[in-house]
Amino acid sequence: MNTPLTEPTSDQFEDVNCYHCGESAHTFLLTGQDDLTGKPGNFTYVTCDGCGLVYQTPRLKIEHIGDWYDDDYIAHRRKKNWGILTKFYQRGMDKHDREKDKLISRYITLNSDSRVLDVGSGSGSFLQRLRQQYNCSAGGIDFKDLSDLPFYEGVDFHQGLFYEAPHEDNSYDLVTMWHFLEHDYDPVQTLETAARTLKPDGRLVVEVPRLDCVTYKLFGNRWPGVQAPQHTVLYSKEMLTKFAERSGLEVVDYLPWGAFPAYFYLFAGTVFLFFRGRGLNLQKAIYPYALGQLLLSPILLFEKRLNLSMQTIICKPRS
Ligand SMILES: [Zn+2]
């Protein structure tokens, strides 16, 4: 892990047709770089001529994408933080997991009989919070083996792809995908698997960056939601809704915000504009990050109404 990557060669890429309508004709939209960690490479995002979906093509073949998820990758960052583990059980969870919990609690009441699955479960801290709060049974799935991370204690972890994993139909009360679907190589199959494995009154909660938002207009190809090459699809509200509806799901609610802080996109987009693909050093950035947050706090009070960066769709299986 953390070996310096060289620029990917053309044989590591594959062309893909539109994930929604299957059309191969498309129009160039932007070139993305790995602005978050500064790894080399230029990645092409296009708009489908058939339906308007924005997606990456060519994309890295799935056997190569794992190299782009190393220890620096933000969802797995907690791996380094063994030191805070003891405090974790006393203090409860950090703000991000609290926000996720608050969000799902608008739509479902969990208890000791509930079964929850988090797809793309990363550090596992969200699942551990749900176990602590509701005594529910929690499962996680990720394409990297994260089962030795401390937050997975008591969590049923499966390494692999969601749609290839053995899940029984009608078995989950809640399936969550926090910033997973925009990484997915087959979002329709993923959403169909969610529809099939949810109980009839179960809920699916999907949070992804929103393409038709304020920060994309501000930052363009330096928008943090591009996050090349990991992000395969950049969803607008319209396209996210279409994906859910075609996959056997009924939309219960739509939110122009999510549990992930909108401010991160304002800050990171500004940094990415200046550093242009050389990466963001989070340790050095922590003081400017805090200062910017303080200065923007009057605006951020209204972040749920401003369509700054995120979106969340809440669905149930279509009956
Ligand atoms: Zn299309």
Side-chain angles (χ1 to χ4, degrees), residues 241-258:
T241 306
K242 283 184 178 173
F243 268 88
E245 287 172 343
R246 68 170 290 172
S247 306
L249 293 157
E250 184 182 323
V251 178
V252 173
D253 201 4
Y254 174 89
L255 308 171
W257 50 274

Side-chain angles (χ1 to χ4, degrees), residues 6 14 36 40 56 63 98 106 110 134 137-138 144 158 160 162 165 171 187 189 193 199 229 232 243 293 301 309:
T6 51
E14 62 189 356
L36 195 62
Q56 189 183 169
E63 61 266 33
R98 284 204 307 276
R106 296 165 143 233
L110 297 175
Y134 308 109
S137 89
K144 287 218 158 185
H158 185 90
F162 178 41
S171 57
Q189 215 182 334
T193 305
K199 292 178 185 172
T232 52
F243 268 88
Q293 193 165 29
L301 281 176
S309 58

Side-chain angles (χ1 to χ4, degrees), residues 63-317:
E63 61 266 33
H64 297 296
I65 194 69
D67 297 340
W68 298 78
Y69 292 87
D70 60 16
D71 280 359
D72 287 334
Y73 187 66
I74 201 158
H76 305 150
R77 185 157 291 276
R78 284 175 187 278
K79 192 167 188 164
K80 294 172 185 165
N81 295 352
W82 295 81
I84 64 157
L85 186 62
T86 38
K87 285 184 186 165
F88 159 72
Y89 288 106
Q90 295 151 4
R91 287 189 312 176
M93 268 316 301
D94 73 2
K95 189 165 187 307
H96 191 193
D97 289 327
R98 284 204 307 276
E99 293 297 327
K100 289 178 181 175
D101 189 359
K102 261 164 53 185
L103 199 156
I104 59 149
S105 298
R106 296 165 143 233
Y107 303 100
I108 192 160
T109 305
L110 297 175
N111 58 45
S112 58
D113 294 326
S114 306
R115 293 191 67 205
V116 179
L117 180 73
D118 190 26
V119 181
S121 49
S123 74
S125 62
F126 168 66
L127 288 169
Q128 195 57 249
R129 178 186 171 89
L130 296 188
R131 286 188 72 237
Q132 305 276 312
Q133 294 286 112
Y134 308 109
N135 198 26
C136 58
S137 89
I141 182 159
D142 207 290
F143 83 111
K144 287 218 158 185
D145 183 11
L146 306 168
S147 56
D148 60 338
L149 298 187
F151 290 116
Y152 280 101
E153 197 178 328
V155 173
D156 181 24
F157 178 80
H158 185 90
Q159 181 189 2
L161 298 170
F162 178 41
Y163 44 80
E164 288 177 0
H167 301 283
E168 281 177 39
D169 291 359
N170 306 324
S171 57
Y172 294 113
D173 299 276
L174 174 67
V175 174
T176 53
M177 298 177 187
W178 307 106
H179 291 259
F180 168 79
L181 203 67
E182 72 272 35
H183 299 247
D184 199 342
Y185 274 47
D186 196 340
V188 171
Q189 215 182 334
T190 292
L191 292 171
E192 285 174 349
T193 305
R196 175 173 65 75
T197 54
L198 278 169
K199 292 178 185 172
D201 59 347
R203 292 290 181 270
L204 169 69
V205 176
V206 178
E207 181 185 333
V208 293
R210 178 172 173 179
L211 183 63
D212 48 332
C213 76
V214 171
T215 50
Y216 175 68
K217 291 187 182 83
L218 279 175
F219 301 124
N221 73 330
R222 299 294 168 187
W223 182 51
V226 175
Q227 202 176 310
Q230 294 102 328
H231 286 185
T232 52
V233 180
L234 309 181
Y235 294 95
S236 63
K237 175 185 178 181
E238 183 192 359
M239 292 311 300
L240 181 64
T241 306
K242 283 184 178 173
F243 268 88
E245 287 172 343
R246 68 170 290 172
S247 306
L249 293 157
E250 184 182 323
V251 178
V252 173
D253 201 4
Y254 174 89
L255 308 171
W257 50 274
F260 193 87
Y263 170 67
F264 182 83
Y265 270 31
L266 282 167
F267 176 81
T270 307
V271 173
F272 294 173
L273 274 179
F274 281 103
F275 286 89
R276 312 194 75 78
R278 280 176 283 152
L280 168 65
N281 184 327
L282 280 173
Q283 256 146 19
K284 280 190 187 159
I286 191 74
Y287 292 110
Y289 186 88
L291 180 65
Q293 193 165 29
L294 192 66
L295 293 173
L296 289 176
S297 54
I299 294 169
L300 295 171
L301 281 176
F302 303 100
E303 76 168 67
K304 287 179 180 162
R305 292 188 221 161
L306 296 175
N307 184 22
L308 287 174
S309 58
M310 298 302 156
Q311 58 183 339
T312 309
I313 198 165
I314 299 90
C315 305
K316 64 177 184 179

Side-chain angles (χ1 to χ4, degrees), residues 18-23 48-53 55 239:
C18 175
Y19 295 88
H20 181 60
C21 73
E23 175 66 59
C48 172
D49 290 349
C51 71
L53 182 72
Y55 66 101
M239 292 311 300

